[in-house]
Amino acid sequence: MLFSRISLLLLSFILVPAVCAQTFTFTAIPDENESQLQTRFNKIARYLEQELGVEVKYVPVKSYAAAVTAFRNNQVQLAWFGGLSGVQARRLVPGSDAIAQGYEDQFFKSFFIAHHSVELVASSNFPNLNGYTFTFGSKGSTSGRLMPQFFIERNMGKQAKEIFSRIGFSGDHSRTIAQVEAGAYQIGAVNYKVWESAVEKGLVDTSKVRVIWETPAYPDYQWTVRHGVEQTFGSGFEAKLKAALLNMKDPELLASFPRLSFVEAENQDYEPIESVAIAIGLLD
């Protein structure tokens, strides 16, 4: 009788799916200040819990590189990446998939912003940037570094280090705006969505800093899911996750990104980003 009870107990452990004890974790590149990110993605965690039927936790990171590392090490199974960080992560974990992007991320852009003392005016023509001080965002940012550097070097015909008197990396778009507004740098490159949101909220003094040029469109942010989630959370989990992201309709959740909606994404959508990163030496 005792043996039978032990056998039944062991059998129950075998039959109970492992997913019951698992927490689905995700992160996001820190492109804005930490408190804004925490508020935004804790809401997303609660939404995904309801849709997926598993415990979901948002794991903040301190840098773009840390987001990629967490993904590589399976500390997170999903990430809201920029174009470049997504490419880097999928290279490190083959079989991982870009599954959703913001509607606007299909044709994203960067703004070049300038301190009011700079004698450059807004124009569709590329500005003459010779001799100015310039700040990018994070070194791993698509909209704050990769694409701005590409357009600068293509239009100026030489490397950024030969153009500017001083180059900085602010770390995120909010700090780029603050540094240019304060005059710490004369010009900077910023994610257009962060700029527009900051202006709308009254966080930018547009008498001190203004947009002088905007880049052509390119693909950017996306949700990337890590290879292996089906083994951990069950067959069909990736499709269920993708559906949850695409069906995110709550205006409050969408406004926190901000995005109009989420649409399907595939790895091949980001081949142009990979090609640019290779061309300017950020990827081998």
Side-chain angles (χ1 to χ4, degrees):
M1 180 67 71
L2 179 60
F3 177 77
S4 298
R5 289 176 180 172
I6 293 173
S7 297
L8 287 172
L9 184 60
L10 290 173
L11 184 60
S12 70
F13 280 120
I14 293 170
L15 294 177
V16 173
V19 297
C20 293
Q22 294 288 336
T23 298
F24 183 67
T25 56
F26 75 97
T27 194
I29 53 171
D31 58 351
E32 294 186 76
N33 73 60
E34 191 171 335
S35 63
Q36 288 177 317
L37 293 175
Q38 195 81 42
T39 299
R40 178 203 301 180
F41 289 109
N42 283 339
K43 292 178 184 177
I44 301 302
R46 291 193 294 271
Y47 167 77
L48 290 177
E49 274 191 346
Q50 294 172 353
E51 296 296 311
L52 300 175
V54 298
E55 183 180 359
V56 179
K57 182 180 180 182
Y58 164 60
V59 179
V61 291
K62 293 295 185 182
S63 68
Y64 284 55
V68 174
T69 298
F71 189 88
R72 181 192 64 194
N73 293 341
N74 201 21
Q75 294 168 289
V76 298
Q77 294 79 51
L78 175 72
W80 176 240
F81 282 130
L84 176 59
S85 49
V87 167
Q88 291 170 323
R90 293 189 296 274
R91 278 179 150 213
L92 290 168
V93 189
S96 299
D97 296 314
I99 56 173
Q101 61 186 326
Y103 174 80
E104 297 88 337
D105 295 307
Q106 301 170 95
F107 22 78
F108 214 74
K109 57 189 175 182
S110 302
F111 284 163
F112 284 13
I113 58 175
H115 188 258
H116 68 91
S117 63
V118 172
E119 295 180 356
L120 292 173
V121 297
S123 173
S124 59
N125 296 321
F126 193 82
N128 183 352
L129 301 176
N130 281 312
Y132 290 107
T133 60
F134 191 98
T135 184
F136 294 104
S138 166
K139 292 182 179 181
S141 172
T142 305
S143 55
R145 193 274 176 90
L146 174 69
M147 296 311 296
Q149 182 176 334
F150 169 72
F151 288 119
I152 288 167
E153 294 181 351
R154 187 181 72 173
N155 283 280
M156 299 291 291
K158 51 188 174 181
Q159 292 186 329
K161 64 183 180 181
E162 301 173 301
I163 297 167
F164 302 112
S165 58
R166 179 165 55 93
I167 294 175
F169 292 91
S170 69
D172 68 51
H173 301 290
S174 299
R175 283 199 286 267
T176 295
I177 295 171
Q179 288 180 356
V180 177
E181 182 178 321
Y185 288 89
Q186 293 170 295
I187 305 173
V190 65
N191 168 327
Y192 88 104
K193 277 290 184 183
V194 174
W195 170 267
E196 290 180 345
S197 177
V199 170
E200 183 180 345
K201 294 174 182 176
L203 302 177
V204 181
D205 185 344
T206 52
S207 70
K208 294 182 179 179
V209 57
R210 64 185 182 276
V211 176
I212 59 169
W213 190 72
E214 65 179 59
T215 68
Y218 54 84
D220 202 352
Y221 290 75
Q222 89 291 157
W223 290 103
T224 288
V225 62
R226 194 179 192 280
H227 175 67
V229 292
E230 304 255 318
Q231 285 74 25
T232 305
F233 296 96
S235 178
F237 185 82
E238 183 172 323
K240 191 174 182 181
L241 170 63
K242 181 176 181 178
L245 294 171
L246 295 179
N247 292 328
M248 193 186 303
K249 306 298 184 184
D250 185 334
E252 183 182 355
L253 292 180
L254 293 172
S256 69
F257 279 87
R259 298 294 188 274
L260 290 174
S261 64
F262 286 100
V263 298
E264 292 192 40
E266 298 179 350
N267 292 354
Q268 66 186 28
D269 296 335
Y270 297 89
E271 288 176 359
I273 296 298
E274 185 170 13
S275 297
V276 168
I278 292 170
I280 67 174
L282 295 184
L283 288 176
D284 296 326

